[in-house]
């Protein structure tokens, strides 16, 4: 298979492994933030035309990866800085 066919999925997989390893070994909050950032970056690459996945639409992948990425980043920031929590 060609490299373009895989699209952003190897990036997300490698980034997720590194982020989880970082979170387990060093700092869980920033590990979660980096995992969310990798997922959001994968959403941007998928929207930009990466991958030829025929099972789901490009918009579905982009919205799912982007929403989960932003939610992980927001959740990890609230864990790191509790004063950001709304009243």
């Amino acid at each position: 298979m060609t490299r373009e066919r895989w699209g952003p999925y190897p990036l997300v997989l490698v980034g997720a492994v590194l982020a989880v390893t970082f979170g387990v070994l060093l700092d869980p909050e920033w590990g979660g933030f980096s995992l969310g950032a990798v997922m959001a970056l994968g959403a941007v690459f998928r929207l930009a035309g990466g991958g030829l996945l025929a099972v789901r639409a490009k918009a579905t992948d982009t919205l799912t990866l982007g929403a989960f990425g932003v939610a992980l980043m927001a959740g990890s920031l609230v864990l790191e800085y509790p004063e950001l929590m709304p009243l």
Side-chain angles (χ1 to χ4, degrees):
M1 293 195 178
T2 65
R3 189 167 142 194
E4 182 181 336
R5 185 167 184 86
W6 284 99
Y9 297 110
L11 167 75
V12 173
L13 180 65
V14 171
V17 168
L18 291 174
V20 168
T21 303
F22 178 76
V24 168
L25 296 178
L26 298 174
D27 189 8
E29 289 86 6
W30 289 109
F33 186 84
S34 60
L35 179 59
V38 165
M39 289 178 71
L41 186 63
V44 170
F45 285 152
R46 175 71 171 145
L47 184 64
L52 300 174
L53 186 64
V55 177
R56 294 183 303 265
K58 197 178 293 188
T60 303
D61 281 347
T62 302
L63 287 175
T64 304
L65 278 173
F68 283 136
V70 169
L72 274 171
M73 289 190 292
S76 64
L77 284 176
V78 167
L79 286 174
E80 183 72 28
Y81 303 108
E83 61 271 6
L84 293 176
M85 187 72 159
L87 295 175

